[in-house]
Amino acid sequence: MLPAVAAVISDTEGRLLLQQKGAGQGWSLPAGAIEPSETPEQAIAREVFEETGLAVVHTEVLAVFGGSEFRYTYPNGDQVEYLVVLFKCLTSGEPGGWTDTETISLKYTSFDEMPELALPYPMELLFPGSR
């Protein structure tokens, strides 16, 4: 069981910011584990900065997820079950300049171009007002 956070970051056109992860993990929301002594709000600000270079200026909890749908097996065989606090994040700056070695690239994507993510976040939380 791993406590974690994930970020919903949208641009002015309503597109969602995605992170391409290395090691065959595909596309993901900016996300990561909550470290010891860290609050979820501190964790999301740290993860977003490390993985995107963006500074988080405001957060709002959208939902909390867990259970068997949030089990994940990494390409190396490690298995986890996440308890994820999903945040809507307002940020400043432009994506880029990340310090996380897991990040290959970043892109904003529309609802119609959305790739499959490793975890099954509800589309209505990722794209408010979507079909």
Side-chain angles (χ1 to χ4, degrees):
M1 181 68 75
L2 186 62
V5 292
V8 173
I9 301 169
S10 300
D11 66 6
T12 57
E13 298 173 36
R15 297 177 303 168
L16 181 66
L17 183 63
L18 297 180
Q19 170 196 22
Q20 185 179 22
K21 297 240 185 197
Q25 296 165 287
W27 292 96
S28 171
L29 298 176
I34 299 172
E35 295 182 357
S37 300
E38 203 172 40
T39 67
E41 291 83 1
Q42 291 168 330
I44 198 63
R46 177 185 51 76
E47 287 290 348
V48 166
F49 185 74
E50 289 174 357
E51 296 181 352
T52 71
L54 293 168
V56 172
V57 296
H58 179 74
T59 62
E60 173 187 341
V61 174
L62 293 175
V64 178
F65 299 100
S68 60
E69 289 184 326
F70 283 79
R71 288 183 188 148
Y72 183 76
T73 302
Y74 285 90
N76 69 358
D78 288 348
Q79 296 179 351
V80 297
E81 186 171 309
Y82 290 109
L83 175 66
V84 181
V85 180
L86 182 66
F87 285 93
K88 177 174 181 56
C89 296
L90 297 178
T91 60
S92 65
E94 292 295 322
W98 58 83
T99 60
D100 185 270
T101 59
E102 297 172 4
T103 302
I104 293 174
S105 67
L106 300 169
K107 73 173 181 176
Y108 282 102
T109 189
S110 68
F111 176 83
D112 295 331
E113 298 171 333
M114 184 68 178
E116 184 176 346
L117 301 179
L119 297 175
Y121 298 106
M123 293 298 277
E124 61 270 13
L125 292 178
L126 304 182
F127 295 96
S130 64
R131 301 171 225 171

